[in-house]
């Protein structure tokens, strides 16, 4: 059994201790992510390893995985957006230190305030969240309709069937 997850973490101390944090956090309560979502249902799976690298930089490596409930920006219907993020954070105590980090790291600036594990995970999701999520083409009703319209506009189309009858049929399914 793993111990319960802390709400706040000290990344410097966790790095020195080579700690691993694994678990789930709820999407609900992620206030900066929420405006991009249809609902805040769901969880984020995370696996984060804190360590000190060869150059003595305290760092966090790992991955996040979730399914977000969003609106497809092409058909405006609900969709599940699978989202994965690879995490590579360099833990620093000042902006100057952040600027010296190797480019492989995103800075995680820690100060006197404790670091919220949930907010840290939310930050990483915001980095990979698409601006306008859309269904994969075959699954998007708006995309299928557009393809139908394009087919109807083809001048060499054979037959004189009413194209709207075809469309109506497809809409029923
Ligand atoms: Zn769609």
């Amino acid at each position: 059994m793993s111990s319960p997850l802390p709400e706040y973490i000290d990344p410097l101390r966790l790095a020195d201790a080579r700690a691993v944090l694994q678990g789930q956090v709820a999407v609900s309560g992620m206030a900066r992510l929420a405006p991009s979502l249809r609902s805040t249902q769901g969880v984020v799976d995370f696996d984060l390893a804190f360590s000190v690298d060869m150059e003595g930089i305290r760092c966090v490596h790992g991955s996040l995985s979730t399914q977000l409930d969003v609106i497809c920006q092409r058909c405006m219907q609900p969709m599940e957006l699978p989202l994965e993020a690879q995490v590579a954070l360099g833990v620093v105590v000042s902006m100057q230190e952040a600027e010296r980090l190797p480019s492989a790291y995103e800075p995680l600036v820690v100060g006197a305030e404790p670091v919220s594990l949930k907010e840290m995970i939310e930050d990483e999701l915001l980095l990979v969240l698409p601006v306008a999520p859309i269904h994969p083409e075959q699954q998007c009703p708006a995309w299928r309709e557009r393809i139908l319209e394009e087919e109807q506009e083809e001048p060499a189309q054979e037959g004189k069937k009413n194209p709207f009858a075809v469309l109506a049929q497809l809409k029923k399914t």
Side-chain angles (χ1 to χ4, degrees):
M1 282 293 291
S2 55
S3 50
L5 287 166
E7 189 178 350
Y8 292 96
I9 56 171
D10 179 347
L12 294 171
R13 204 170 52 81
L14 289 174
D16 288 340
R18 286 4 183 224
V20 173
L21 292 182
Q22 288 173 319
Q24 292 186 327
V25 287
V27 176
S28 105
M30 292 187 173
R32 290 167 298 147
L33 193 62
S36 304
L37 306 179
R38 189 174 78 103
S39 80
T40 55
Q41 67 190 34
V43 293
V44 184
D45 290 295
F46 65 88
D47 185 348
L48 300 171
F50 295 75
S51 64
V52 183
D53 76 5
M54 306 278 276
E55 293 173 52
I57 298 168
R58 292 182 177 95
C59 53
V60 189
H61 287 97
S63 59
L64 309 175
S65 166
T66 187
Q67 297 256 10
L68 296 176
D69 182 18
V70 299
I71 299 284
C72 169
Q73 296 303 305
R74 182 159 48 198
C75 67
M76 307 313 280
Q77 298 297 309
M79 65 173 276
E80 290 256 288
L81 175 70
L83 207 56
E84 311 266 335
Q86 295 303 312
V87 177
L89 295 168
V91 186
V92 293
V93 295
S94 67
M95 289 312 291
Q96 291 93 316
E97 208 184 326
E99 281 162 22
R100 288 199 300 272
L101 271 181
S103 59
Y105 292 122
E106 288 286 328
L108 173 63
V109 184
V110 300
E113 297 290 308
V115 174
S116 156
L117 178 62
K118 188 161 178 161
E119 282 181 22
M120 188 180 113
I121 288 169
E122 184 181 14
D123 283 339
E124 296 303 303
L125 292 179
L126 286 164
L127 285 178
V128 294
L129 184 72
V131 177
I134 51 173
H135 281 118
E137 291 186 343
Q138 311 292 344
Q139 293 167 27
C140 187
W143 181 82
R144 288 208 306 266
E145 277 180 29
R146 204 181 64 207
I147 292 302
L148 278 175
E149 282 164 18
E150 280 169 13
E151 281 172 2
Q152 286 159 17
E153 282 162 16
E154 295 255 322
Q157 205 176 11
E158 57 185 71
K160 290 286 174 196
K161 264 204 246 168
N162 178 1
F164 294 104
V166 180
L167 188 62
Q169 257 182 349
L170 281 161
K171 272 187 171 166
K172 264 183 239 163
T173 58

